Amino acid sequence: MQEPEPPNDPLLLDPQTDAKFQGDERVHEPSTMRAIAEALRENLQTLEPALIDAQPGAAQFGEWMDAKAFGASAGRDGAGQKLGQVHAEFVKAYKDVIAAIEASAGNHAEADAQNERA
């Protein structure tokens, strides 16, 4: 009998970091938060170009009449430009999440430093 494959972790978090999120306990480690932000940033670097390439231009649908008509409406030069707008909004939101995680890590690190001085 073949062993089942381990679940695919799209962020490629190391097993120790990933294990911290399996329970109901709250994680309060700025270094872990920063590691997650970095993993998200690296993921975005590979994801962002793929999303841009996913929007073909009108000519890529073909040269015959129906393909041209479809390309004009679905391609990035026609109504398909919405895909580009949604992509830009997604990338901005993704970057905002990364910035929020980094800011939270900074806040926690500062609070830890303040508590150690008290």
Side-chain angles (χ1 to χ4, degrees):
M1 187 175 243
Q2 203 173 26
E3 297 255 339
E5 290 187 30
N8 184 15
D9 181 359
L11 295 179
L12 302 174
L13 295 176
D14 74 55
Q16 290 178 341
T17 300
D18 187 46
K20 293 177 184 178
F21 294 96
Q22 299 305 316
D24 291 336
E25 296 178 26
R26 185 173 180 189
V27 176
H28 173 85
E29 293 179 7
S31 62
T32 300
M33 297 163 114
R34 287 185 178 110
I36 291 169
E38 183 58 30
L40 288 169
R41 186 177 292 106
E42 290 172 7
N43 189 30
L44 181 60
Q45 288 175 353
T46 59
L47 182 63
E48 194 170 9
L51 290 172
I52 291 169
D53 292 342
Q55 188 179 9
Q60 292 168 306
F61 287 95
E63 292 299 318
W64 68 94
M65 187 172 29
D66 289 342
K68 284 182 178 182
F70 179 73
S73 64
R76 69 175 160 252
D77 305 320
Q81 68 182 314
K82 270 291 199 199
L83 180 61
Q85 292 169 349
V86 170
H87 168 259
E89 291 172 18
F90 171 79
V91 169
K92 182 188 178 316
Y94 202 102
K95 288 177 178 178
D96 289 347
V97 167
I98 293 168
I101 292 170
E102 290 174 337
S104 183
N107 290 340
H108 283 284
E110 179 62 29
D112 289 346
Q114 293 290 335
N115 286 338
E116 288 175 10
R117 287 187 218 128

